[in-house]
Amino acid sequence: MPTKLKVYANEDDALLFWSVPEPIAGCRGFAIARRKTHAQGKKTEGYLPNRMGFEKEPVAAKAKGGQEAVTKPSTEWPFQLFSWTDHDANAGDTVSYRVVPVIRNEAGKLELIESQGSDWSPPKTLATTMGSFRPFFNRGFVMSQFMARYLSARKMSLSQFKDTIRDKDDKTIRSFLSGDLRLALLAQLKTALKENTEIFAALFELSDNELIEALCALGSKAHLVLANGSVAPKKGETAQEARRRDENEDARGKLRAAGVDVETDNRFISPGALGHNKFLIRMDGNGKPLIAWTGSTNWAPTGLCTQVNNGLLIEDREIAQIYLDQWNRLRKAGSTYPKSLIDENSKAKEAGNNTPGSARSTVWFTRAGKGVDLNALKEEVQKAREGILFLMFMPGSTGLFSTVAARSAEPNLYVRGVVSELPNGRGDESEVDVNLIDGPKHNPFHLNIIQPEGVQHPFASFAAEVTHNQFLGGIGHAIIHSKVLVIDPFSPEPVVITGSHNFSTSASAKNDENFIIVRGDRELAEAYAVNILGAYAHYRWRAFLSEVKKPFNGLKDNDTWQAPKLASQQGELRFWGV
């Protein structure tokens, strides 16, 4: 019987899942064929490459020059998997795939079994969703395919790239790593400038020069509640004294010099709490709220480029008004938490209606009373019937993660996700503890992170060193900074939750935070599901090596790899529709 294939996509990746009814005699893996119509109209067709060869094949691990990874078409190095994320498809591309078993015949040659290949999948165009909720993602994990494509296009070895990179190239790699996320955020500021309309933003961190310049260009049309970042008391310093310091001092000075409406000390609440929001409202020409922007992305180079983040553009006036009302409450509160603010934060803000097929949403802000926001999150998790997908950053042991972890043990519930914890605290991103969740199986491991800040050409060093490690070891490093939860994405009532909230008790009881629960938007759920699986797959290989404590020597040159994978992945393949 032919292979069954399903393809899912968001604006930057295509995710493939496939299966066969039973193991295929002699199967060495699967070749993935792709037809692609590029955004510019050029058409190509061929087999996706694999960089994993057979374990006994005498092929050098490096290409000429000693830097770039060897790859071969998957007809020669087939995928011994039942899923793959194609990172080489870009926004605007239209793609179709076919998966074909590869066997080794009696003559010892690899051969495609066309009769058991899948049909070509229906064409899919990579684009953001069409409804009111439009997600955008960066490329913060620096996948090896990303960097391989970047270097290949410039005909550079990694050593040449490292030696010759300069500011111009820094900007190129910056654009590459920040992806459509940065472009979408900048577009809102540029639209406000072009249309001479106002924006209102509540921000935790502001250090990215490109974003600062775009805000300065708006002058008095830009209104900011800008917190003082994450401040730690010095020895002998009281919390009150420490709160006078401002990690956003440079940006604040530039904004005020440009006439931007930003106060000198509004939401100076750290240490003790964080003004952790990253939301934006853009007004229309009549001074009414038009769109809102939220998500996990700090307005900093690290937030845009070297962490895994997301942004959500919400084209809904009712929701934009909800965020604007909160902005006004924060501005009025100054650097305090009046009872009126906490009481208002403790109420769910509903938007939309119950019309069948329409998306509805609930917005929450914190600091809230008695953990009502966390209770609302836990209720959504408890309602899950098919699957839970998630990315979390420092959720702690008493927040939402414990509820998700408890449900991950249920045999009929598909649970996949990644948790990142900084063992040395929020200010130190040199190391990360990763917990990879694969149903009841939890894979904790520790990584040293290459931190790009503080060097002359930050993205040059970061890209070269991380990519070198990827090519040699099979994976790169990243901090998962996204805060995303997707529940039952393929059901009639999918749920997506995202924002600045870390799903932790401190986010609930101490900080300024926000998150939005979106129900009933199937397209949105698919887009976030693809993004989460990309991050999960990024770490799965590292977790495997950490668990078995031995190197991976290559593909098995026999057909025994199939049965264990098919048996262990039945729930996963069922969840993804194959």
Side-chain angles (χ1 to χ4, degrees):
M1 294 180 66
T3 305
K4 187 175 182 181
L5 169 67
K6 283 242 179 167
V7 178
Y8 303 89
N10 58 25
E11 43 90 23
D12 199 43
D13 286 329
L15 171 65
L16 288 70
F17 271 90
W18 64 90
S19 69
V20 291
E22 59 187 21
I24 299 169
C27 182
R28 281 0 186 220
F30 295 86
I32 303 176
R34 181 185 64 193
R35 291 172 176 165
K36 179 162 73 169
T37 302
H38 299 252
Q40 296 78 20
K42 180 184 176 183
K43 294 185 177 182
T44 58
E45 182 172 333
Y47 286 92
L48 296 186
N50 191 2
R51 57 188 178 85
M52 289 293 176
F54 288 100
E55 55 186 349
K56 295 180 181 180
E57 192 169 14
V59 177
K62 300 177 184 178
K64 187 177 179 180
Q67 295 293 334
E68 297 181 38
V70 172
T71 65
K72 288 190 177 183
S74 48
T75 52
E76 299 179 46
W77 284 354
F79 295 100
Q80 290 184 350
L81 300 163
F82 292 97
S83 66
W84 188 254
T85 299
D86 183 9
H87 300 294
D88 194 42
N90 297 309
D93 291 345
T94 299
V95 290
S96 178
Y97 299 89
R98 185 169 183 254
V99 175
V100 186
V102 180
I103 69 162
R104 194 174 290 282
N105 62 25
E106 293 180 356
K109 302 293 185 181
L110 293 176
E111 177 184 338
L112 293 173
I113 307 301
E114 298 281 359
S115 63
Q116 295 189 49
S118 72
D119 293 333
W120 283 98
S121 64
K124 267 186 175 286
T125 300
L126 275 66
T128 191
T129 55
M130 300 298 292
S132 299
F133 300 93
R134 306 182 65 200
F136 296 91
F137 308 102
N138 69 347
R139 294 162 174 165
F141 11 68
V142 200
M143 291 281 195
S144 60
Q145 285 191 44
F146 289 162
M147 290 308 302
R149 185 176 68 207
Y150 177 83
L151 295 173
S152 176
R154 287 151 186 80
K155 297 181 179 178
M156 279 187 181
S157 71
L158 233 132
S159 59
Q160 289 172 325
F161 176 71
K162 186 174 180 179
D163 290 341
T164 62
I165 191 168
R166 293 294 182 266
D167 290 345
K168 178 178 180 294
D169 291 306
D170 277 351
K171 187 170 184 180
T172 304
I173 191 64
R174 163 191 166 83
S175 300
F176 179 75
L177 295 175
S178 60
D180 292 333
L181 173 60
R182 167 180 147 271
L183 297 178
L185 181 53
L186 278 170
Q188 294 306 311
L189 301 178
K190 291 178 180 178
T191 299
L193 180 64
K194 180 180 177 181
E195 297 180 356
N196 196 31
T197 56
E198 295 178 297
I199 66 99
F200 294 78
L203 303 177
F204 167 61
E205 186 177 357
L206 180 59
S207 60
D208 186 79
N209 288 332
E210 189 175 25
L211 292 175
I212 292 170
E213 289 172 8
L215 288 168
C216 287
L218 289 167
S220 62
K221 295 287 185 178
H223 310 272
L224 267 65
V225 169
L226 181 59
N228 66 329
S230 179
V231 176
K234 297 177 181 178
K235 187 176 180 180
E237 186 180 42
T238 67
Q240 186 175 4
E241 291 169 337
R243 287 189 194 111
R244 296 172 188 159
R245 287 189 278 116
D246 180 14
E247 289 190 335
N248 293 313
E249 182 178 4
D250 290 346
R252 196 182 308 271
K254 292 175 182 177
L255 294 173
R256 288 180 63 82
V260 172
D261 172 25
V262 56
E263 295 180 336
T264 56
D265 58 1
N266 190 285
R267 303 316 286 165
F268 277 37
I269 56 178
S270 181
L274 300 176
H276 199 236
N277 285 307
K278 313 103 171 35
F279 71 76
L280 167 77
I281 306 100
R282 180 165 62 82
M283 313 295 276
D284 65 16
N286 297 315
K288 301 293 185 183
L290 182 62
I291 67 95
W293 171 280
T294 187
S296 64
T297 309
N298 284 317
W299 293 32
T302 50
L304 290 171
C305 300
T306 68
Q307 301 168 338
V308 176
N309 276 308
N310 80 94
L312 181 62
L313 178 63
I314 306 169
E315 297 177 331
D316 183 289
R317 289 180 178 273
E318 183 180 7
I319 298 173
Q321 183 66 59
I322 289 171
Y323 278 93
L324 180 62
D325 290 344
Q326 182 68 4
W327 188 93
N328 284 315
R329 284 190 285 268
L330 293 172
R331 170 60 72 92
K332 183 179 179 180
S335 296
T336 67
Y337 278 102
K339 183 177 182 298
S340 58
L341 176 62
I342 297 173
D343 288 346
E344 189 61 36
N345 288 349
S346 303
K347 302 173 187 175
K349 313 292 190 293
E350 306 287 349
N353 55 58
N354 290 319
T355 303
S358 65
R360 293 100 54 219
S361 61
T362 305
V363 181
W364 283 92
F365 299 104
T366 65
R367 147 186 333 182
K370 299 180 180 179
V372 291
D373 56 316
L374 277 177
N375 290 337
L377 290 167
K378 291 175 182 179
E379 285 177 15
E380 297 297 333
V381 169
Q382 296 294 3
K383 292 176 188 175
R385 293 295 173 264
E386 299 173 6
I388 303 170
L389 307 171
F390 64 91
L391 301 176
M392 295 186 186
F393 176 68
M394 299 185 72
S397 59
T398 58
L400 183 64
F401 178 64
S402 60
T403 306
V404 174
R407 295 219 63 190
S408 70
E410 298 178 24
N412 295 321
L413 191 69
Y414 178 79
V415 181
R416 296 290 185 275
V418 186
V419 178
S420 285
E421 298 274 4
L422 302 181
N424 299 317
R426 184 180 299 276
D428 184 358
E429 295 188 0
S430 62
E431 301 175 55
V432 63
D433 290 327
V434 178
N435 196 345
L436 189 76
I437 311 304
D438 181 353
K441 190 175 182 180
H442 293 206
N443 294 289
F445 54 99
H446 181 85
L447 292 175
N448 291 316
I449 303 296
I450 296 171
Q451 174 54 261
E453 291 190 318
V455 295
Q456 184 176 4
H457 299 293
F459 297 106
S461 174
F462 176 80
E465 293 298 328
V466 172
T467 306
H468 184 66
N469 285 342
Q470 285 177 316
F471 286 157
L472 294 183
I475 196 166
H477 304 157
I479 291 175
I480 300 293
H481 191 257
S482 259
K483 311 94 171 44
V484 180
L485 191 70
V486 178
I487 298 170
D488 297 345
F490 309 124
S491 72
E493 186 72 353
V495 174
V496 173
I497 304 169
T498 192
S500 70
H501 198 295
N502 280 336
F503 305 143
S504 64
T505 52
S506 59
S508 171
K510 292 183 177 181
N511 299 345
D512 293 347
E513 306 277 8
N514 75 90
F515 65 85
I516 185 168
I517 304 172
V518 182
R519 303 177 183 87
D521 192 324
R522 168 65 176 71
E523 250 195 318
L524 182 72
E526 176 178 332
Y528 272 106
V530 171
N531 179 252
I532 292 169
L533 255 288
Y536 170 82
H538 177 71
Y539 281 119
R540 181 169 53 186
W541 181 242
R542 172 68 68 176
F544 169 76
L545 295 178
S546 175
E547 181 181 359
V548 301
K549 294 181 171 55
K550 63 181 181 180
F552 178 73
N553 294 318
L555 304 173
K556 297 294 182 185
D557 200 359
N558 54 54
D559 59 10
T560 60
W561 65 274
Q562 295 173 86
K565 282 188 181 292
L566 280 172
S568 65
Q569 290 183 242
Q570 281 301 302
E572 180 167 52
L573 298 176
R574 189 179 305 113
F575 178 80
W576 292 97
V578 294

